[in-house]
Amino acid sequence: MRILVLGSLPDHVPGANQPILAEHAPLFRAGRALGWALAAGDFRAIIGSSSQRTIDPYIFEGYAEYCRENPSSQRHIEIQFPVDAANPGHEPRFADAPENLHVMKIENYADASSPHRWIVSHFAALRSADLLIVLGGGVSTRLLGAYAASNKIPTLAIREYGGSSAEVFLLARHTYQKAIPRLGERPTRETSQKVISFAVELVKSKPRSIHSYFLSYSWNDCPEADYVEVLLRRFGRMIFRDEDRVMIGHRIPRQLEASIQEADTFVALFSNSYNASQWCPSELEFALESQASGRPDRIVLIELDETKPPLRAASLLRVKGNSREHLDLCVRRMIEQE
């Protein structure tokens, strides 16, 4: 699940060098705690600005903290930011990520001279997110939150830190079946996990009608998996992705099995690394077994190199994907054959 997190100092104006006061500390503590909880739940956060006046770097710190405490786990975080050909210098600079935190960067075209370039990038990120979480915030938070809530995009507005999130709460509260757990002045990991669980329920309550894909891949092939995901999301498709590589033996977790069975299409990015993995062949085998019961509807092998697939998979739809041009063609072909 991909969760866009948006927030900042109350009434924040980008570039205005608004002073950071002691009263803002609870907001930033909440960002760090939520980042840790998102990482603990194996969700992917989407963030953007590295300004200390926004919630984004604190979400990043929470992910990094979880990854350092759990070095055998592997997590993903996504950074989307505005850029154009004339001035590509807006890439945010975050602290160094631990080796087990994969940072995926996506550039969104937006005129660098425009004061609204970050809002343009935020809307691009929202288009591909499953959920929006807002806390604190100024104009950007108000605009995106109002748009999301009005267009039935699951939106969790945490109003206890003030800012425009309190206004967004009034628009989204009809979707909440119970009270949002409070984070408080000193958020704990336990309370932040309760908030994230509340957010997940919002997403589950939304009906799904678009074609969905499960991406199975080796950690060594993350760049190719990132590229395929970006292409599929540009076509408006839903993506399930195995982002936690901690498994016992060859048994894949039940939560992962459920995601494979929920997807319309299972996509294996097949390579020598995939074939040699302790878990990837098990995912493919489970998909083949589950297909006999009707889900997933189809299984596709995108061959990243010349490694031969197992005999049982030889009859599946197989397409070459050993270059970006071929990956583009693969995705278009999959979309056309849905």
Side-chain angles (χ1 to χ4, degrees):
M1 184 183 298
R2 302 167 77 252
I3 300 175
L4 174 60
V5 185
L6 195 62
S8 64
L9 301 181
D11 303 317
H12 175 57
V13 178
N17 292 323
Q18 183 178 359
I20 299 175
L21 307 175
E23 64 192 57
H24 298 138
L27 171 67
F28 299 140
R29 284 195 289 263
R32 193 175 293 109
L34 288 173
W36 187 94
L38 287 167
D42 198 14
F43 302 114
R44 188 199 303 185
I46 307 173
I47 57 176
S49 173
S50 55
S51 168
Q52 295 296 311
R53 294 170 175 81
T54 70
I55 204 69
D56 307 45
Y58 305 97
I59 296 291
F60 188 93
E61 288 176 13
Y63 268 80
E65 185 177 310
Y66 177 88
C67 288
R68 292 190 184 98
E69 294 173 359
N70 299 273
S72 61
S73 296
Q74 289 156 336
R75 293 294 185 265
H76 296 238
I77 194 167
E78 189 172 310
I79 301 173
Q80 295 205 28
F81 54 95
V83 67
D84 69 10
N87 186 0
H90 291 298
E91 180 176 344
R93 301 294 179 185
F94 292 90
D96 292 337
E99 290 187 1
N100 55 333
L101 178 57
H102 173 60
V103 180
M104 180 178 178
K105 298 179 180 179
I106 298 179
E107 299 176 349
N108 295 314
Y109 176 80
D111 185 352
S113 65
S114 170
H116 308 300
R117 59 183 178 271
W118 277 104
I119 294 178
V120 172
S121 184
H122 291 329
F123 269 104
L126 180 63
R127 180 182 176 187
S128 61
D130 301 300
L131 167 73
L132 172 66
I133 296 179
V134 295
L135 60 166
V139 174
S140 295
T141 301
R142 179 183 296 109
L143 288 175
L144 259 76
Y147 176 86
S150 300
N151 285 274
K152 300 181 180 179
I153 298 172
T155 303
L156 174 57
I158 301 174
R159 59 176 176 170
E160 57 188 292
Y161 303 108
S164 54
S165 293
E167 300 172 36
V168 177
F169 175 85
L170 298 177
L171 296 173
R173 62 181 176 180
H174 68 280
T175 63
Y176 307 152
Q177 301 300 316
K178 55 184 179 180
I180 301 172
R182 288 187 59 82
L183 288 166
E185 289 284 316
R186 295 192 173 276
T188 66
R189 292 176 174 179
E190 182 180 5
T191 56
S192 61
Q193 285 179 306
K194 289 180 179 178
V195 169
I196 297 304
S197 296
F198 181 95
V200 170
E201 290 302 317
L202 289 178
V203 178
K204 289 182 177 179
S205 64
K206 179 186 177 183
R208 295 172 176 173
S209 59
I210 59 176
H211 197 95
S212 58
Y213 288 79
F214 182 95
L215 295 186
S216 175
Y217 62 97
S218 164
W219 182 260
N220 293 331
D221 297 324
C222 262
E224 289 79 6
D226 290 350
Y227 190 64
V228 170
E229 179 181 338
V230 169
L231 293 176
L232 287 170
R233 289 195 179 278
R234 285 177 181 169
F235 284 99
R237 297 319 190 254
M238 179 180 295
I239 310 299
F240 299 102
R241 181 167 165 174
D242 176 12
E243 298 184 334
D244 185 1
R245 297 307 190 182
V246 181
M247 298 185 185
I248 301 175
H250 295 275
R251 174 67 181 178
I252 60 178
R254 289 185 178 179
Q255 182 179 3
L256 193 57
E257 292 180 349
S259 295
I260 292 173
Q261 292 176 324
E262 190 174 351
D264 297 303
T265 298
F266 177 94
V267 180
L269 301 184
F270 200 81
S271 67
N272 182 57
S273 296
Y274 189 102
N275 197 41
S277 166
Q278 293 184 349
W279 52 85
C280 291
S282 299
E283 293 176 4
L284 178 57
E285 184 67 23
F286 180 79
L288 287 164
E289 293 174 357
S290 297
Q291 192 178 38
S293 302
R295 301 289 289 184
D297 293 333
R298 63 174 176 168
I299 301 174
V300 179
L301 262 63
I302 297 180
E303 299 175 335
L304 301 182
D305 56 28
E306 300 303 318
T307 304
K308 292 185 178 179
L311 183 62
R312 188 178 178 190
S315 61
L316 298 174
L317 175 61
R318 295 162 56 187
V319 287
K320 293 292 182 183
N322 53 0
S323 69
R324 289 213 163 187
E325 181 181 1
H326 284 148
L327 288 174
D328 286 342
L329 294 174
C330 288
V331 170
R332 291 183 182 276
R333 183 177 176 185
M334 288 192 298
I335 296 292
E336 290 170 357
Q337 296 182 2
E338 287 180 355

